[in-house]
Amino acid sequence: FFRLSCPMPVCCSRESSTPGKVVFLTGSNGAHVGSLITGTNASFIDTSQTTLKEGLSAAAKLANHGVVLMSVAPQHEAQFHKLKHGSLEHLHFEGERVFKEGRAYPAHQAAALLGSNLVSAPKWKKGDQSTVLSSGAMTYCAQGNSAKVSWSLSCACENPYIAVNNACVDFNLSTQGMDYDPSMAQELVEHAALVYNVNSTKELQQAIKDKKTTPPTDNYAWNNTYDPTSAQFFQKVSETLDTQFHFVKGTTKDKKSYGVLCFRGSESNFNWNPLSSKKSNAARDWGADLDYQLVSSPDICPNGKIHRGFSTQLKACLKDIDTVVQSLNGGDMLYVTGHSLGGGLGQLATSYIANKHSDRIGNLRTYVFAGPRVGDSDAAGWINSKTKNIFNICENGDPVPVGPARSMGYDNVGTMLTRFDGSKWAIGLAPDAGDWLGASSIAKVENHMLGYPTPVGCNTKYRCDVSTLPDKISDFANVGSDKQVGTCRWMNCNDPNATCTNSQCLCKSGYYASEGGSKCVQYPDGFVAKEL
């Protein structure tokens, strides 16, 4: 029996409508079995009064009807570990923590770890309300990285995301290898604003000489130094094409040289006469935005498929991108940036540079603002494998970074850094776009604007809020962080936001363990309502 490659062959069957599997529970799982059964609609077998073999036989009979939870009694654990191999799904509980494949999670997430991952019901548009759908038509899943479960009225997180607090969370997010510089992000958001307000190389050079961005009432200056003579403004316009970007060379305060490649986003002034064959710049931009068919474009990204509208816009720029990249010295950094559509073009320009100028990858950094998704999972995987240094900086409530939808085949490039209420930032969490298909989302468009810092204060938009970015990656709220901050001393914990549970100090609800597991830090405001 134990020599079988699949211990219970029926567990590997997919003949039933509900795929069967047996999940083994070890350790102090008794306190969590009830919630596990509720969260997974599973059968349960207790082996405390049986042999392990009897429990396995019973599990095999039940497995064809769905998930079976089998509690391995302490007296059977040694025997269980002898037979355990990769095909067995296993959760091990220690107090308020659960371990899966050697990785620790809060115990209340155990049901999600078993793969149910349900986060909500699909929604539809009815008037101004999002309501649970009563039939199968016109559905969508509002949570990022979730999709409708076939033939059901449920939305579930897609692999590798796990449902926690009604959000789909990536616990495998690693910050290792990221070269994050908040001062450069603040510098680049001004470039992203500037490219909207100049229309020629002459205007760009003058703005750089003035060391401030337009409009004229805006006195927000850069911190670094730029060479006006190196500034170039590029514009590619045709009946269907409207792309603008600029390039300029700069020097940091510590005399390090770099270049900035910055793309303009969508214009908002349509001025389009439907009786005329001529489209305004805005109409051409929005035409590119909405041309979201996935196509192969091996020059830009050799793997997978990318957004056709963005690909068409960028292809017109490739020769000029080659020229400015080659104008840099070997040790110069290259920063790519842009807002909205410009952020999408910036992500794909990064892919193109990594593909065609691979010698630049080590000095390539990308900071985009409210950038949309730009390709499928294969394309995103290739881009992310080439650089860990693509940062998509977002405001909560902005619908653009969570589109086009994953249900349309799209996936995320880079790492999202999102600001929630009170200038609290989280890593790996996308904005909560809410009912982004509904009319109520029109009001949320203001969350997408760059904004205008002024001498009398900010208006809580990207250009104001980027200055509140944490100093280092480890300062971000990371939803995958552990909850433990040491052990109890005389049933007490040093941290006021931790409680003593089974001799361990665990951060209370709404807090996570940060600063090397030494301190409980509060999640961003309203975290439980945010989507990943």
Side-chain angles (χ1 to χ4, degrees):
F1 183 83
F2 296 125
R3 290 195 297 271
L4 294 173
S5 60
C6 177
M8 287 147 288
V10 71
C11 297
C12 301
S13 170
R14 291 294 180 267
E15 295 177 356
S16 66
S17 59
T18 303
K21 67 176 177 179
V22 176
V23 180
F24 298 92
L25 313 176
T26 60
S28 56
N29 60 71
H32 308 286
V33 165
S35 62
L36 279 172
I37 295 173
T38 301
T40 59
N41 193 28
S43 304
F44 178 67
I45 295 174
D46 182 1
T47 62
S48 60
Q49 302 298 320
T50 68
T51 66
L52 181 61
K53 187 172 182 179
E54 289 171 336
L56 290 169
S57 298
K61 293 175 182 178
L62 291 171
N64 198 43
H65 303 287
V67 177
V68 179
L69 304 177
M70 179 171 160
S71 178
V72 179
Q75 65 266 30
H76 301 319
E77 286 200 19
Q79 185 182 5
F80 168 73
H81 287 297
K82 288 181 181 179
L83 73 90
K84 185 181 183 308
H85 57 81
S87 66
L88 298 184
E89 191 160 351
H90 173 215
L91 298 182
H92 179 73
F93 292 83
E94 290 184 5
E96 293 302 310
R97 293 199 293 175
V98 59
F99 292 81
K100 182 177 182 180
E101 298 176 355
R103 193 178 181 96
Y105 306 90
H108 69 267
Q109 296 167 10
L113 293 171
L114 293 181
S116 62
N117 274 337
L118 299 183
V119 286
S120 71
K123 296 179 179 180
W124 72 322
K125 183 71 175 61
K126 182 179 180 182
D128 290 328
Q129 303 297 320
S130 292
T131 58
V132 175
L133 189 67
S134 57
S135 63
M138 297 294 291
T139 63
Y140 74 98
C141 294
Q143 281 80 6
N145 299 319
S146 71
K148 186 172 179 289
V149 180
S150 298
W151 307 108
S152 77
L153 294 179
S154 300
C155 292
C157 298
E158 298 181 300
N159 187 50
Y161 301 96
I162 294 172
V164 180
N165 290 342
N166 201 38
C168 297
V169 178
D170 181 5
F171 284 99
N172 295 315
L173 176 65
S174 171
T175 59
Q176 185 175 2
M178 291 183 182
D179 182 19
Y180 161 78
D181 184 349
S183 64
M184 188 55 71
Q186 188 170 347
E187 198 82 2
L188 295 174
V189 75
E190 290 308 305
H191 281 278
L194 175 62
V195 75
Y196 281 107
N197 295 296
V198 296
N199 292 291
S200 67
T201 294
K202 182 178 179 180
E203 289 182 12
L204 174 64
Q205 291 176 341
Q206 186 61 50
I208 291 171
K209 289 177 182 177
D210 293 342
K211 296 184 90 175
K212 63 184 180 183
T213 57
T214 52
T217 56
D218 183 323
N219 294 321
Y220 200 82
W222 285 309
N223 293 312
N224 294 338
T225 302
Y226 295 93
D227 176 10
T229 64
S230 71
Q232 301 175 71
F233 181 84
F234 302 90
Q235 182 163 247
K236 309 295 178 181
V237 178
S238 68
E239 200 53 40
T240 59
L241 185 70
D242 183 63
T243 307
Q244 294 81 21
F245 64 102
H246 75 236
F247 174 79
V248 64
K249 294 181 179 180
T251 307
T252 63
K253 291 182 178 180
D254 55 356
K255 305 302 182 183
K256 293 181 179 178
S257 300
Y258 64 91
V260 173
L261 182 62
C262 177
F263 293 88
R264 181 186 290 182
S266 302
E267 296 184 48
S268 58
N269 182 19
F270 269 79
N271 290 329
W272 181 25
N273 181 354
L275 301 179
S276 170
S277 61
K278 295 183 178 180
K279 295 180 181 179
S280 68
N281 293 350
R284 287 189 288 262
D285 285 342
W286 283 91
D289 291 334
L290 297 175
D291 185 10
Y292 44 70
Q293 181 175 332
L294 288 163
V295 296
S296 296
S297 185
D299 279 354
I300 296 174
C301 184
N303 284 16
K305 296 181 178 181
I306 60 176
H307 188 290
R308 183 169 65 182
F310 299 164
S311 171
T312 300
Q313 297 267 35
L314 189 67
K315 282 181 177 178
C317 310
L318 297 183
K319 289 185 178 180
D320 292 320
I321 291 174
D322 289 336
T323 299
V324 298
V325 169
Q326 291 165 359
S327 73
L328 294 169
N329 294 322
D332 291 350
M333 299 293 293
L334 174 59
Y335 292 94
V336 182
T337 191
H339 167 254
S340 190
L341 165 64
L345 295 176
Q347 293 173 67
L348 290 181
T350 301
S351 176
Y352 173 76
I353 294 167
N355 186 32
K356 294 297 183 180
H357 302 274
S358 57
D359 58 314
R360 303 294 320 182
I361 291 177
N363 291 339
L364 182 62
R365 305 290 184 268
T366 301
Y367 292 79
V368 298
F369 305 91
R373 295 180 176 126
V374 297
D376 64 14
S377 58
D378 289 336
W382 186 87
I383 299 169
N384 291 335
S385 72
K386 293 300 176 182
T387 175
K388 294 275 286 184
N389 294 307
I390 299 176
F391 301 102
N392 194 355
I393 297 171
C394 309
E395 291 273 0
N396 189 41
D398 186 345
V400 172
V402 292
R406 286 176 61 88
S407 60
M408 297 163 65
Y410 281 80
D411 207 344
N412 299 321
V413 169
T415 301
M416 281 189 174
L417 310 177
T418 301
R419 190 194 74 88
F420 293 97
D421 296 338
S423 295
K424 295 178 181 177
W425 292 82
I427 186 170
L429 278 175
D432 180 357
D435 180 16
W436 62 274
L437 292 181
S440 60
S441 290
I442 300 300
K444 293 186 176 182
V445 171
E446 67 178 21
N447 295 316
H448 180 64
M449 308 303 287
L450 275 172
Y452 297 106
T454 68
V456 294
C458 280
N459 61 354
T460 63
K461 299 297 188 295
Y462 281 88
R463 292 171 69 191
C464 301
D465 296 331
V466 167
S467 62
T468 69
L469 276 165
D471 291 337
K472 52 186 182 296
I473 284 288
S474 59
D475 290 338
F476 283 83
N478 186 339
V479 295
S481 295
D482 198 354
K483 300 286 281 188
Q484 186 177 354
V485 285
T487 56
C488 307
R489 184 178 179 87
W490 305 109
M491 298 299 292
N492 293 312
C493 297
N494 291 329
D495 194 307
N497 295 310
T499 57
C500 182
T501 305
N502 296 330
S503 300
Q504 296 176 336
C505 287
L506 302 177
C507 297
K508 66 184 183 181
S509 177
Y511 290 78
Y512 67 99
S514 186
E515 298 186 11
S518 63
K519 181 180 179 181
C520 293
V521 179
Q522 190 172 15
Y523 281 126
D525 291 350
F527 164 70
V528 294
K530 305 307 172 219
E531 63 181 67
L532 182 115

